[in-house]
Amino acid sequence: MDYIGEENEMSNLVTFENADNESNILRIGGKSFLPPDMEWPTNPNGEKMVFIFNIPTNFLNSTLQFNYPKDQVISVFTTYNREDYFLDSIVYNGDTEELQNIKNGYTKVVLHSAAAPRNDADFLIPAREIVIDKEMNEFDDYNGSLFGANPVFLQEEKLELASYQFCMQIYGGDFPEEFQDIFYLDDAIGYLFLSKEEKANDVGVFFVQCT
């Protein structure tokens, strides 16, 4: 487990509260506000991906000093399958091929306007609000869910993430019980990095690590 980032910059711990599936707040699960003219993301296997994060741009701009358009939303989607092995499609431990696999579309980060709530996937994760809690202690040996500042990686080789800024990491076990295998293993962690510069074709990257 490795902690990276500027000295004295500490991430915030987060807690989770039950939320409405259609609320436009920082949350895991629920429905997406993806506009009707945007196709629901599918992975290279043709499988509809599962919606996992709703992140209002106003919240990102005020908390992490991004400069996104106001009143828009970032939606994050991932490959998920209850019958077939999929971990290798979403994991990134530093191998260039792993990162390319993810960028080929096994996970997806989308910036868009907020439309009527929808869910076109085969699964709907019950919504939980992500509540920003106290700042992490620099001496904490912690590898759970965090927001802002710096990630705590489970595997840290050489990750090609220089053009991205860390947003948050979410522990699989913090999802509702029936979806704690959303990252295949319930002790895996999903990491969200967002592009430092606004790019329509590269909003960010989402990947998973496990021990």
Side-chain angles (χ1 to χ4, degrees):
M1 181 178 68
D2 292 272
Y3 176 84
I4 68 167
E6 297 295 330
E7 189 176 1
N8 299 325
E9 273 194 278
M10 304 305 296
S11 298
N12 285 83
L13 304 174
V14 299
T15 59
F16 299 87
E17 296 180 0
N18 291 336
D20 188 288
N21 284 334
E22 299 184 356
S23 56
N24 192 6
I25 56 175
L26 178 67
R27 58 173 162 84
I28 59 175
K31 294 183 178 180
S32 170
F33 295 102
L34 201 66
D37 60 345
M38 295 184 72
E39 290 189 9
W40 191 269
T42 58
N43 67 18
N45 300 330
E47 302 166 329
K48 288 186 177 180
M49 291 194 280
V50 175
F51 175 69
I52 54 171
F53 298 137
N54 183 81
I55 311 170
T57 56
N58 293 357
F59 178 83
L60 284 175
N61 293 344
S62 63
T63 56
L64 296 183
Q65 287 69 58
F66 279 99
N67 191 31
Y68 286 112
K70 293 181 180 179
D71 302 324
Q72 295 202 0
V73 177
I74 288 178
S75 292
V76 183
F77 302 83
T78 188
T79 293
Y80 177 67
N81 194 309
R82 286 188 168 167
E83 297 180 359
D84 298 326
Y85 179 78
F86 64 90
L87 179 60
D88 287 350
S89 299
I90 60 174
V91 75
Y92 176 45
N93 293 327
D95 187 286
T96 302
E97 290 185 8
E98 292 173 337
L99 183 58
Q100 190 56 53
N101 212 30
I102 288 165
K103 289 188 173 184
N104 283 343
Y106 283 98
T107 70
K108 189 77 173 175
V109 183
V110 185
L111 172 65
H112 57 87
S113 58
R118 60 187 274 213
N119 179 61
D120 296 4
D122 294 331
F123 302 97
L124 175 66
I125 300 171
R128 283 187 175 175
E129 181 179 5
I130 302 172
V131 181
I132 310 303
D133 199 359
K134 63 182 180 180
E135 192 174 87
M136 176 184 174
N137 187 300
E138 64 179 309
F139 301 110
D140 285 346
D141 184 19
Y142 181 78
N143 59 342
S145 298
L146 296 170
F147 181 85
N150 299 282
V152 179
F153 289 120
L154 297 180
Q155 307 287 338
E156 206 276 297
E157 303 295 333
K158 279 191 174 181
L159 302 180
E160 299 173 20
L161 299 171
S163 62
Y164 301 97
Q165 178 178 331
F166 176 65
C167 177
M168 63 182 179
Q169 65 184 67
I170 301 293
Y171 176 62
D174 283 333
F175 277 77
E177 185 174 358
E178 64 270 35
F179 286 99
Q180 290 181 357
D181 63 346
I182 187 67
F183 305 143
Y184 194 75
L185 300 172
D186 62 5
D187 61 350
I189 292 178
Y191 299 85
L192 177 62
F193 283 75
L194 299 175
S195 295
K196 292 178 179 177
E197 298 180 4
E198 187 181 336
K199 303 175 185 176
N201 63 343
D202 187 14
V203 177
V205 61
F206 176 79
F207 60 90
V208 167
Q209 292 189 342
C210 54
T211 53

